[in-house]
Amino acid sequence: MHTVVVGTSGTTASDVLAVARGGARVELSGEAVAALAAAREIVDALAAKPDPVYGVSTGFGALATRHISPQLRAQLQRNIVRSHAAGMGPAVEREVVRALMFLRLKTVCSGHTGVRPEVAQTMADLLNAGITPVVHEYGSLGCSGDLAPLSHCALALMGEGDAEGPDGVVRPAAELLAAHGIQPVELREKEGLALLNGTDGMLGMLVMALADLDTLYRSADVTAALSLEALLGTDKVLAPELHAIRPHPGQAASAANMLAVLKGSGLTGHHQDDAPRVQDAYSVRCAPQVAGAGRDTMAHARLVADRELASAVDNPVVLPDGRVESNGNFHGAPVAYVLDFLAIAAADLGSIAERRTDRLLDKNRSHGLPPFLADDAGVDSGLMIAQYTQAALVSELKRLAVPASADSIPSSAMQEDHVSMGWSAARKLRTAVDNLTRVIAIEFYAAARAVELREGLTPAPATRAAIDAAREAGVEGAGPDRFLAPDLAAADAFVRGGRLLAAVEKVTGPLQ
């Protein structure tokens, strides 16, 4: 099994994906263990002094004015975890919790938190044992970190609360730790606070959304090319020289992908045949501009994610010169903004795909295709309601595009008076990505059927390969009306599993 080694200088998106989705094992580097021990010495020295230090010998948030005596500090750290583990709603996905735990471990190992090496090792032990704390949907405002989600993870380290075992069964965390020979941690000064003060949940979901969108945007180029073929459109608008004079890199990449997919098509260039038209509709002609803008949005989001992956987010932090200083680095604004930006781009990509699907089904705009791509229009409804489903998904995408980060609800008696709502932005982006996949799948389903109905015209080798692979995967083609939901589910699985992209890239080579 793949092993990810956690050092002091952050981590990478590929490591996050390996741990969250691939079940990779986690090890602490020798450098990390040394940094943990050095930072802990600083915290221990400060704890021994009479002067109050936030997070070490004081209360938290609006209660930071109280100096805590040494005999109550262990209780203070336990209490912050217990009281902050206040999430509600359904449990979030296992991959999200694993990303959350791994990214918190990444910051702990930076040597800026003051957590003991044995606590960090226990965090790694839980990940390696496949023990996943139950984290709830609601409880984070995305400021002072993803407090409630991280607290539920810290609670499991203490042997409290509930967790999911490697078999998927939820049990008391104490039972799971004992079954795997893991000793619960006894938290000391600062450790409770350090375990729950980070942007790890929203960052983990950003990393995974970017990975999913990378596949989806390339798949959307494929379905746009298929729709262009089915509508007998022109590929002249995809010429590199046209995109060079408006040098947005995402736009050029999208146009190049569509051009590669359409290479050798016998369906393009017929826009001057029976019903001459000067140019294709925006949803066809401007596909690279819209998908390209989304790609460039992803590039910016990836830059933010990489910066955050290299960060140590905690408050207070232990600095190399021995100071322990309060700061505001836990604020989730940088991550929250790009999460919302990606949801906007996803909504627009879904919207333009739906417009192409609608055009394929309308006999007045499809340039010779049967109404709703039906076998016997009137007796058969064809794909009429598939477009309804797609439209409902797009409407939901537009609702999910409303920014969460534009909101702020003050908390902690106005001490935390401006929050990022980054966790909420991440949760709705996950739903948006899920629904966008379905939208792209419906466009593929409709465009593939439409291409097959163009008798006497030969599609491009790449689109032919995609359609053939879909049929082999159980995505049915044209014919009389039948129970349609299973067909759409098969198309969704075909796109979601990356098989559409794989089939095309066997012909074109890797798309951008």
Side-chain angles (χ1 to χ4, degrees):
M1 181 180 291
H2 179 59
T3 298
V4 171
V5 178
V6 185
T8 60
S9 57
T11 189
T12 65
S14 60
D15 283 347
V16 175
L17 295 170
V19 174
R21 291 180 165 172
R25 290 186 57 80
V26 176
E27 290 182 3
L28 310 185
S29 72
E31 178 191 27
V33 173
L36 284 160
R40 187 64 210 180
E41 287 182 7
I42 294 171
V43 171
D44 287 341
L46 289 170
K49 293 181 178 180
D51 301 327
V53 178
Y54 177 69
V56 176
S57 54
T58 71
F60 310 109
L63 302 176
T65 55
R66 178 176 173 182
H67 182 251
I68 308 299
S69 62
Q71 57 268 32
L72 292 177
R73 289 175 189 168
Q75 181 181 338
L76 171 70
Q77 300 301 319
R78 288 195 301 271
N79 285 353
I80 189 175
V81 172
R82 289 168 175 165
S83 65
H84 285 46
M88 294 185 72
V92 302
E93 302 83 2
R94 181 184 181 91
E95 67 177 17
V96 171
V97 181
R98 285 185 62 83
L100 177 75
M101 294 169 67
F102 174 68
L103 287 168
R104 194 70 223 141
L105 177 59
K106 174 268 298 183
T107 280
V108 165
C109 287
S110 69
H112 291 294
T113 67
V115 170
R116 288 169 294 152
E118 51 264 43
V119 176
Q121 184 58 56
T122 304
M123 296 171 75
D125 291 343
L126 256 69
L127 285 166
N128 293 338
I131 297 172
T132 308
V134 173
V135 171
H136 299 278
E137 180 83 17
Y138 304 106
S140 174
L141 299 179
C143 200
S144 285
D146 289 317
L147 287 174
L150 283 162
S151 296
H152 282 277
C153 293
L155 198 66
L157 287 174
M158 293 164 50
E160 300 180 21
D162 292 326
E164 180 184 307
D167 57 359
V169 177
V170 174
R171 298 185 179 90
E175 289 183 15
L176 286 167
L177 265 63
H180 288 84
I182 300 172
Q183 187 70 27
V185 298
E186 292 282 347
L187 298 177
R188 288 171 47 181
E189 292 94 341
K190 195 183 180 301
E191 289 179 335
L193 184 61
L195 291 177
L196 52 94
N197 207 342
T199 57
D200 309 292
M202 64 184 93
L203 176 58
M205 286 185 273
L206 172 60
V207 169
M208 289 185 284
L210 284 168
D212 294 338
L213 286 169
D214 181 64
T215 298
L216 263 183
Y217 269 83
R218 286 181 288 154
S219 299
D221 288 339
V222 173
T223 61
L226 259 172
S227 291
L228 186 151
E229 269 196 310
L231 291 167
L232 304 178
T234 177
D235 60 358
K236 290 184 178 180
V237 297
L238 303 174
E241 57 270 25
L242 293 174
H243 298 277
I245 61 175
R246 193 192 191 197
H248 293 286
Q251 175 181 322
S254 183
N257 286 347
M258 289 182 66
L259 206 54
V261 172
L262 291 169
K263 185 177 181 181
S265 175
L267 283 158
T268 58
H270 292 274
H271 55 294
Q272 297 288 350
D273 288 358
D274 297 332
R277 57 193 190 276
V278 175
Q279 53 195 7
D280 293 316
Y282 283 11
S283 59
V284 178
R285 184 168 22 126
C286 300
Q289 284 76 9
V290 172
R295 272 189 165 77
D296 292 340
T297 300
M298 287 171 58
H300 171 62
R302 197 170 286 114
L303 175 64
V304 171
D306 288 345
R307 288 170 176 165
E308 199 74 0
L309 288 168
S311 301
V313 178
D314 193 17
N315 180 49
V317 292
V318 180
L319 296 175
D321 62 7
R323 286 179 295 145
V324 176
E325 297 284 1
S326 292
N327 66 92
N329 285 343
F330 49 74
H331 200 289
V335 183
Y337 292 168
V338 294
L339 288 162
D340 279 334
F341 202 173
L342 288 171
I344 292 169
D348 203 33
L349 186 64
S351 182
I352 197 170
E354 183 275 330
R355 287 293 80 205
R356 290 190 292 264
T357 303
D358 180 67
R359 185 166 289 272
L360 289 167
L361 306 188
D362 182 356
K363 69 180 183 66
N364 296 312
R365 293 181 291 142
S366 67
H367 311 291
L369 291 169
F372 303 105
L373 306 182
D375 187 63
D376 184 3
V379 174
D380 294 317
S381 294
L383 304 190
M384 179 190 294
I385 308 304
Q387 184 267 332
Y388 283 37
T389 299
Q390 193 184 38
L393 288 162
V394 169
S395 182
E396 179 73 358
L397 280 169
K398 292 174 182 178
R399 187 186 70 79
L400 292 166
V402 176
S405 58
D407 186 30
S408 175
I409 298 181
S411 55
S412 193
M414 292 299 285
Q415 176 69 9
E416 299 169 11
D417 59 352
H418 184 83
V419 297
S420 78
M421 303 307 298
W423 173 274
S424 299
R427 294 305 298 166
K428 70 182 182 65
L429 178 60
R430 281 182 71 84
T431 304
V433 171
D434 201 31
N435 285 347
L436 177 61
T437 307
R438 298 184 177 103
V439 170
I440 299 303
I442 291 172
E443 183 185 14
F444 170 71
Y445 185 75
R449 177 183 285 204
V451 165
E452 289 186 318
L453 289 171
R454 293 291 189 188
E455 295 180 0
L457 294 173
T458 305
T463 54
R464 180 74 267 170
I467 295 169
D468 290 346
R471 301 297 175 246
E472 290 172 10
V475 182
E476 298 293 335
D481 280 359
R482 56 184 176 269
F483 182 20
L484 196 54
D487 279 9
L488 298 183
D492 177 52
F494 185 67
V495 173
R496 191 176 299 271
R499 285 179 286 174
L500 168 62
L501 199 56
V504 167
E505 289 185 331
K506 284 183 180 177
V507 178
T508 63
L511 298 180
Q512 300 180 49

